[in-house]
Amino acid sequence: MSDNAPPDQNQDHESLTIPLLSHERSFNSTSQVAIVGANVCPIESLDYEIAENDFFKQDWRTRGKIQIFQYIFMKWLLCFLIGAIVSLVGFCNNLAVENIAGVKFVVTSNMMLARRYGMAFLVFSLSNLVLTLFAAIITAYISPAAAGSGIPEVKAYLNGVDAPGIFSLRTLIVKIVGSISAVSSSLLVGKAGPMVHTGACVASLLGQGGSRRYGLTWKWLRFFKNDRDRRDLVTCGSAAGIAAAFRAPVGGVLFALEEMASWWRSALLWRAFFTTAVVAIILRALIDVCLSGKCGLFGKGGLIMFDAYSANVSYHLADVPPVLVLGVIGGILGSLYNSLLDKVLRVYNLINERCAVYKIFLACSISIFTSCLLFGLPWLASCQPCPLDASEACPTIGRSGNYKKFQCPPGHYNDLASLIFNTNDDAIRNLFSKNTDSEFQNSTMIIFFVTCFFLSIVSYGIVAPAGLFVPVIVTGASYGRFVGMLLGPHTNLNHGLYAVLGAASFLGGSMRMTVSLCVIILELTNNLLLLPLIMMVLLISKTVADAFNGNIYDLIMKAKGFPYLETHAEPYMRQLTVGDVVSGPLQLFHGIEKVGNIVHILKTTRHHGFPVIDEPPHSESPILYGLILRAHLIALLKKRVFLCTPVRIGVDAFRHFSAEDFAKKGLGNVDKIEDIELADEEMEMFLDLHPFTNASPYTVVETMSLAKALILFRQVGLRHLLVIPKISNRAPVVGILTRHDFMPEHILGLHPLLIRSRWKRLRLRLPRLLKLF
């Protein structure tokens, strides 16, 4: 991401927080490259700012009411298509997982019933290994960018960071197929994160503005050939992903607003709400189809644990202290979970960066270890007699149910097998279930909690699509129910409700969201009476966890090297001005420039934005005319509309060019200067850059504080910010601020004395933090 960063900025600065990249690499991993699917990839910033050159203005002036209607209609149509496609993917995802995992558990249970325990373990472990191997192979060899949840990559994209391949068609296919295979393999991973990435991929592909390769050149699609509209569509796609994963349409919108998007407006809120509403309606229609029994082992198509806890809740003031304790426990455990996962990912990267075989071997090793635990641990639990007032068949012989028989004699069930030897969704449903206070033992809850806590950590970093939402919910629900079991008759709340509150506390402690998580949990449990308790738990757990580290997705982004701009500025940024971090030499062009100079600068630099200045005789004094992008310069060179003399081209420019010539290309269609061959006589000719230059770029004076410039840069969604001098008799432009210039590693590398003052402030603040606890 070297957007006009001078050569000395491209040097390697030692990072305070070493990213996942190995120490031997010779570049700044927090600004120029990032890890995408354990591959080191160059990254670029996105042009969310509209380049208001003469062609942009001419294009908008010539648009009539029909073109404006086409633009608005296509926006809503694409939102509808995103909602429809993502809801279908989400339903098929659940359908496939429940049936694949269901067949595996039915066959294994039948062998257990026949007391063929060795063969049952062999079938169970081999089926898990095959499913994991398939997910790992297609991810490692087809699309490494599909590994993990995808939420950090989408969040970085919405912040303005573009990593190669994260929204490609092959990534979408691998994400869907690999997620089904990984979740079905009994790995403790979820499908909510991959669904967010899936929704973003669908939105990005629909917003490409057509495709010449596949003959999709409908002129109505040309309106979306820019990063700003694609960003809006990707935001709607991420909201649709959560809505499809949990059947929580309002929660999906709030999730995109609170966690994903760095930029928001009311029109985008309406479109995201419309997208998730489409998801909810289509899912409801598809679930009605399953009610007739046409979905195989999917049953009635409940989708996760919707309506799992719909009883009336009555609680009193005496029930508040245990809820506060749950919040504190969730904050501490959530921060510990984030810290351990961050360390495990760094260790995994040392394996993953070698070659695909090592990645696949690691995934298979985790699968075998998981299968041994899931099959072996239930043998440690004692068999319990079936309750006389059980609401369902006891013991359960087959895929789902609260009372798994496993190895127990007739009339008895294995409570640990009911949680472990099951899908994650069914385990959550069992934990959340009401009127089952006497179903589980204390030892069962402890074993299940420890197992989920560590298995979810070691399973996430493998080369396969894997989410964190469902594992965190399972883990939190287990210790929440354990707290309810310890309180016993001393509380008015039943164990299922404590499981819901425990899941909320662990989600808040790990992911640090409040409003969106609250609504998602309410939509999952279908009980508005839980609102005050869930709000209290989320606020406390987030507050406690924030004292230790950041949320899990921010930690992963930092570890992967994504240059994410935070919402707030660091205190030391207020001590610096933008002139303190901008350095030269600065590459710039004149309003009428020689073709040879343009080609030379484009070939010898990787900058993506260049200031354009006018000097006498074209102006009375040196002035800053504007900013021109690398992509626009390459488009000019490809057209070869050169001038023999250094004069302005005038209105002739509109005859040779159109706004489409400067539109953003689709994925993988970026033009390169190396592909353009010019004759020697053409190199001596001239180009008039005035009509193609953004004459109104954002500028700041060199004395502005760096913190203030960061807020402007992030909120407007800029890629380049020009720095102009305070004194008028100096050069018209001092330099360019890019995303790289706001990274702590770059700033502290230029001003190492700030490191000492930073640690001094932390030491002074530490005693105050300790007093809070």
Side-chain angles (χ1 to χ4, degrees):
M1 191 201 67
S2 54
D3 299 35
N4 218 335
D8 57 22
Q9 291 185 13
N10 291 334
Q11 300 293 323
D12 182 19
H13 297 302
E14 183 179 359
S15 174
L16 292 180
T17 54
I18 302 173
L20 282 176
L21 303 176
S22 60
H23 299 283
E24 292 80 13
R25 303 201 183 276
S26 60
F27 36 68
N28 188 339
S29 58
T30 59
S31 56
Q32 271 74 45
V33 298
I35 292 178
V36 182
N39 289 336
V40 179
C41 303
I43 56 176
E44 301 292 347
S45 291
L46 294 165
D47 296 303
Y48 288 151
E49 180 192 5
I50 295 178
E52 295 184 349
N53 53 33
D54 291 347
F55 286 102
F56 172 82
K57 298 174 184 177
Q58 178 69 12
D59 182 53
W60 276 98
R61 279 195 297 264
T62 56
R63 287 188 184 183
K65 293 183 179 180
I66 295 178
Q67 286 77 19
I68 295 175
F69 169 77
Q70 290 175 349
Y71 177 67
I72 297 175
F73 174 77
M74 285 302 300
K75 272 193 171 183
W76 288 99
L77 177 61
L78 289 181
C79 288
F80 174 80
L81 292 176
I82 292 170
I85 295 173
V86 173
S87 60
L88 290 173
V89 171
F91 178 79
C92 294
N93 195 329
N94 281 274
L95 188 67
V97 168
E98 293 292 327
N99 280 281
I100 294 173
V103 170
K104 176 184 65 180
F105 284 119
V106 166
V107 173
T108 307
S109 297
N110 289 336
M111 292 184 176
M112 294 288 292
L113 190 62
R115 297 189 176 276
R116 301 172 61 187
Y117 301 128
M119 184 60 67
F121 171 71
L122 187 63
V123 171
F124 179 71
S125 58
L126 280 180
S127 59
N128 289 339
L129 180 60
V130 170
L131 289 170
T132 304
L133 181 63
F134 175 71
I137 288 176
I138 63 174
T139 305
Y141 288 106
I142 299 178
S143 179
S149 71
I151 290 181
E153 286 80 0
V154 178
K155 186 176 179 179
Y157 178 88
L158 295 177
N159 189 257
V161 179
D162 187 21
I166 60 173
F167 292 145
S168 65
L169 181 60
R170 63 171 60 188
T171 298
L172 173 62
I173 295 174
V174 171
K175 201 76 178 186
I176 296 172
V177 178
S179 176
I180 293 173
S181 183
V183 175
S184 302
S185 67
S186 292
L187 290 173
L188 201 63
V189 297
K191 50 184 176 286
M195 277 304 304
V196 173
H197 194 182
T198 298
C201 286
V202 171
S204 178
L205 292 172
L206 288 176
Q208 290 300 308
S211 172
R212 295 184 181 275
R213 180 187 302 175
Y214 300 105
L216 301 175
T217 56
W218 192 25
K219 66 178 182 180
W220 284 29
L221 293 172
R222 71 181 180 89
F223 298 117
F224 299 96
K225 289 190 174 182
N226 62 84
D227 287 331
R228 174 169 291 199
D229 284 323
R230 290 177 190 171
R231 172 188 61 183
D232 291 353
L233 292 174
V234 169
T235 304
C236 294
S238 63
I242 285 291
F246 293 121
R247 222 175 90 192
V250 180
V253 176
L254 294 176
F255 174 81
L257 169 61
E258 182 178 6
E259 179 63 19
M260 303 301 293
S262 298
W263 185 85
W264 200 266
R265 57 195 174 95
S266 58
L268 180 58
L269 178 67
W270 274 105
R271 281 193 291 275
F273 185 73
F274 170 73
T275 306
T276 57
V278 172
V279 172
I281 293 171
I282 295 179
L283 283 180
R284 181 70 260 177
L286 293 172
I287 289 173
D288 288 339
V289 174
C290 288
L291 291 176
S292 59
K294 298 179 180 179
C295 296
L297 293 172
F298 193 35
K300 296 181 180 180
L303 283 179
I304 312 295
M305 50 278 187
F306 195 78
D307 290 343
Y309 193 89
S310 56
N312 291 330
V313 180
S314 61
Y315 49 89
H316 306 285
L317 189 61
D319 299 316
V320 174
V323 174
L324 298 179
V325 172
L326 267 181
V328 175
I329 294 174
I332 296 174
L333 289 178
S335 60
L336 176 63
Y337 182 88
N338 292 359
S339 178
L340 292 177
L341 182 60
D342 182 57
K343 289 178 172 57
V344 168
L345 288 177
R346 295 177 187 276
V347 174
Y348 279 6
N349 184 70
L350 299 177
I351 302 173
N352 290 337
E353 69 179 1
R354 294 179 179 272
C355 66
V357 176
Y358 287 88
K359 303 178 190 178
I360 297 171
F361 177 78
L362 175 62
C364 294
S365 301
I366 297 298
S367 174
I368 295 173
F369 176 70
T370 302
S371 298
C372 293
L373 275 183
L374 297 186
F375 194 89
L377 286 177
W379 294 88
L380 301 177
S382 59
C383 295
Q384 303 294 311
C386 289
L388 299 177
D389 57 346
S391 58
E392 59 183 67
C394 179
T396 302
I397 301 174
R399 183 185 62 85
S400 62
N402 271 22
Y403 306 99
K404 277 296 188 77
K405 185 177 184 300
F406 205 66
Q407 90 289 6
C408 294
H412 292 71
Y413 70 97
N414 189 315
D415 58 344
L416 186 54
S418 299
L419 299 174
I420 285 184
F421 206 67
N422 222 333
T423 62
N424 294 331
D425 297 349
D426 288 329
I428 296 173
R429 194 173 289 111
N430 291 345
L431 289 170
F432 282 11
S433 60
K434 58 183 182 292
N435 301 326
T436 57
D437 287 0
S438 59
E439 178 183 346
F440 301 104
Q441 305 174 78
N442 290 354
S443 59
T444 295
M445 283 294 105
I446 295 176
I447 294 174
F448 185 66
F449 164 69
V450 174
T451 302
C452 291
F453 187 87
F454 289 103
L455 273 186
S456 61
I457 291 175
V458 300
S459 300
Y460 178 76
I462 66 172
V463 59
L468 288 171
F469 254 101
V470 173
V472 168
I473 292 175
V474 176
T475 307
S478 61
Y479 79 74
R481 191 167 182 116
F482 177 70
V483 170
M485 294 166 65
L486 290 179
L487 294 174
H490 304 292
T491 178
N492 298 306
L493 307 178
N494 65 49
H495 299 172
L497 178 55
Y498 272 103
V500 175
L501 296 176
S505 69
F506 199 37
L507 282 168
S510 177
M511 300 184 179
R512 313 296 164 81
M513 292 176 278
T514 52
V515 180
S516 57
L517 284 179
C518 183
V519 175
I520 288 173
I521 294 173
L522 289 178
E523 290 182 293
L524 288 176
T525 56
N526 196 30
N527 197 326
L528 192 59
L529 297 174
L530 298 177
L531 178 61
L533 296 178
I534 294 177
M535 290 176 65
M536 188 187 309
V537 163
L538 286 171
L539 287 172
I540 293 174
S541 62
K542 180 186 181 333
T543 303
V544 171
D546 280 341
F548 298 98
N549 51 32
N551 78 57
I552 186 62
Y553 297 124
D554 288 349
L555 291 177
I556 295 174
M557 278 194 300
K558 192 171 185 179
K560 288 193 171 187
F562 288 117
Y564 184 83
L565 296 179
E566 299 289 348
T567 55
H568 62 279
E570 294 289 344
Y572 61 80
M573 289 187 179
R574 302 193 180 277
Q575 305 175 28
L576 301 172
T577 65
V578 295
D580 294 328
V581 298
V582 170
S583 56
L586 179 67
Q587 302 290 349
L588 49 80
F589 293 116
H590 295 89
I592 300 177
E593 188 62 80
K594 196 174 183 179
V595 173
N597 293 340
I598 296 176
V599 173
H600 173 72
I601 291 178
L602 290 181
K603 286 186 175 181
T604 55
T605 67
R606 294 184 299 166
H607 309 339
H608 288 264
F610 302 89
V612 177
I613 62 171
D614 271 340
E615 292 181 332
H618 301 292
S619 63
E620 296 182 358
S621 60
I623 61 170
L624 173 65
Y625 185 81
L627 182 78
I628 192 166
L629 300 178
R630 168 183 282 265
H632 294 179
L633 288 170
I634 294 177
L636 292 176
L637 294 175
K638 287 182 65 177
K639 282 283 188 176
R640 288 179 163 81
V641 184
F642 303 140
L643 303 173
C644 296
T645 57
V647 295
R648 291 214 176 198
I649 190 172
V651 294
D652 291 341
F654 296 99
R655 294 205 314 266
H656 300 288
F657 298 93
S658 66
E660 295 183 17
D661 295 325
F662 302 96
K664 177 84 174 190
K665 303 289 185 181
L667 292 173
N669 296 321
V670 179
D671 294 323
K672 298 180 180 179
I673 184 62
E674 289 77 13
D675 299 331
I676 300 176
E677 296 182 1
L678 298 175
D680 292 339
E681 57 270 17
E682 291 177 319
M683 300 285 278
E684 298 298 323
M685 301 179 77
F686 298 90
L687 264 177
D688 181 13
L689 303 181
H690 292 95
F692 318 102
T693 300
N694 179 10
S696 56
Y698 283 91
T699 60
V700 295
V701 294
E702 59 183 339
T703 54
M704 176 182 284
S705 72
L706 192 61
K708 192 173 181 180
L710 171 64
I711 295 172
L712 171 66
F713 195 94
R714 187 184 190 276
Q715 290 185 348
V716 182
L718 300 179
R719 185 176 188 178
H720 307 95
L721 184 60
L722 294 180
V723 180
I724 59 177
K726 185 78 171 179
I727 304 174
S728 59
N729 59 2
R730 292 175 54 191
V733 59
V734 175
I736 294 183
L737 286 175
T738 64
R739 182 176 295 266
H740 167 77
D741 298 302
F742 294 104
M743 292 296 104
E745 293 78 11
H746 168 65
I747 299 171
L748 297 177
L750 292 176
H751 305 279
L753 293 178
L754 291 173
I755 300 177
R756 299 179 183 177
S757 61
R758 188 185 186 192
W759 284 109
K760 183 178 180 180
R761 284 195 302 271
L762 288 175
R763 286 197 301 269
L764 293 175
R765 194 184 309 169
L766 184 60
R768 281 180 259 168
L769 291 174
L770 293 176
K771 289 181 181 179
L772 297 176
F773 301 96

